[in-house]
Amino acid sequence: MEILMYMLAGRHRELLDREKLAFTTPYLASGIQEVFKGFKKLARKDRFKWDTRLTELVLQPGKKWMEDVFTIYTPMIWEDRHWVGLAINLDMGYVEILDPLPTLYGDNKVQKLMDPILTSLPYLVKKVAKPQQTQFRGLKPFYWERITGSYINERSGDCGPVSIKFMELHSHGDPLPHMSGITDGTVDDLRKQYAMDVYKTIV
């Protein structure tokens, strides 16, 4: 998943720069999940010391949050079994969840799974990105919504590449075939295409 995000960031660099978007590593979500217990314990959460790998994502040259980038695309794995794509709008405090199998988890469970991201991101943005006061929406938790009407993938093992494709389409405004127009056959084809693209990227 990390290599696929790296590959897509290179492929769509012009669009990402123009629209102030970024494709980023799955470590954004997993890193926040790892430190969330310590973050949650602090009474003064604004004093939390963030992991260097997370701060480097926020301050990446040419892709600094709230200056060069306002929407982050990142994959997130739920309970080590199911990948979803996240489209995180930083200035609006809004996360769109691109879920290949929305029937797997109900909304209450999704809220619990997303809580580390929703609660921590405002503090990470304020402390590390240091946005201007006019840009910053405050420290209230981000809110989320699952995108509906998309292709539903019920085959085991496809959620990773499908969530990647959802993010790719979403970043382009969901052009044809649209997230709703994907089929099992499309997924077979895109898995082969992604495998070839990754090979080219590594070589």
Side-chain angles (χ1 to χ4, degrees):
M1 294 295 279
E2 186 162 358
I3 294 172
L4 282 172
M5 293 302 284
Y6 171 79
M7 180 267 294
L8 290 180
R11 173 187 292 175
H12 303 300
R13 183 175 292 112
E14 186 176 325
L15 169 79
L16 300 179
D17 291 345
R18 183 175 69 248
E19 300 296 330
K20 296 187 178 293
L21 314 173
F23 286 108
T24 194
T25 169
Y27 185 73
L28 174 59
S30 64
I32 288 175
Q33 289 171 307
E34 286 174 12
V35 302
F36 185 64
K37 184 182 263 189
F39 171 85
K40 198 171 182 179
K41 285 180 181 178
L42 280 183
R44 290 290 307 274
K45 293 178 173 54
D46 56 324
R47 296 181 179 177
F48 184 73
K49 183 173 176 58
W50 292 96
D51 178 86
T52 303
R53 287 179 64 187
L54 286 172
T55 61
E56 286 175 350
L57 287 177
V58 176
L59 301 175
Q60 194 172 351
K63 296 181 181 179
K64 182 182 176 184
W65 292 12
M66 303 300 287
E67 287 186 17
D68 309 303
V69 170
F70 287 89
T71 300
I72 307 289
Y73 288 92
T74 191
M76 180 180 185
I77 192 166
W78 288 347
E79 297 190 324
D80 293 323
R81 64 184 290 222
H82 180 60
W83 286 102
V84 299
L86 305 181
I88 304 168
N89 188 303
L90 297 171
D91 53 347
M92 292 180 63
Y94 174 52
V95 182
E96 292 177 278
I97 301 175
L98 308 170
D99 187 350
L101 187 56
T103 56
L104 186 60
Y105 294 105
D107 287 352
N108 289 338
K109 181 65 173 179
V110 171
Q111 181 65 44
K112 291 178 182 177
L113 293 167
M114 290 296 297
D115 187 48
I117 307 296
L118 304 173
T119 305
S120 303
L121 275 177
Y123 290 90
L124 179 62
V125 170
K126 183 177 182 183
K127 184 168 184 178
V128 181
K130 295 182 169 56
Q132 297 177 17
Q133 198 62 36
T134 53
Q135 294 177 312
F136 191 58
R137 57 178 291 282
L139 294 172
K140 292 184 298 183
F142 281 31
Y143 65 101
W144 63 272
E145 181 179 10
R146 269 194 287 202
I147 299 300
T148 59
S150 299
Y151 159 74
I152 295 176
N153 178 263
E154 297 179 313
R155 302 186 308 185
S156 177
D158 285 339
C159 58
V162 172
S163 63
I164 293 283
K165 190 62 180 179
F166 279 175
M167 288 186 282
E168 188 176 14
L169 289 170
H170 189 279
S171 69
H172 284 76
D174 196 21
L176 287 171
H178 304 304
M179 288 185 280
S180 61
I182 295 174
T183 65
D184 288 349
T186 309
V187 174
D188 292 338
D189 292 339
L190 76 87
R191 288 181 70 106
K192 294 173 187 174
Q193 186 62 54
Y194 280 161
M196 289 188 291
D197 290 343
V198 166
Y199 175 77
K200 291 175 186 175
T201 300
I202 293 173
V203 172

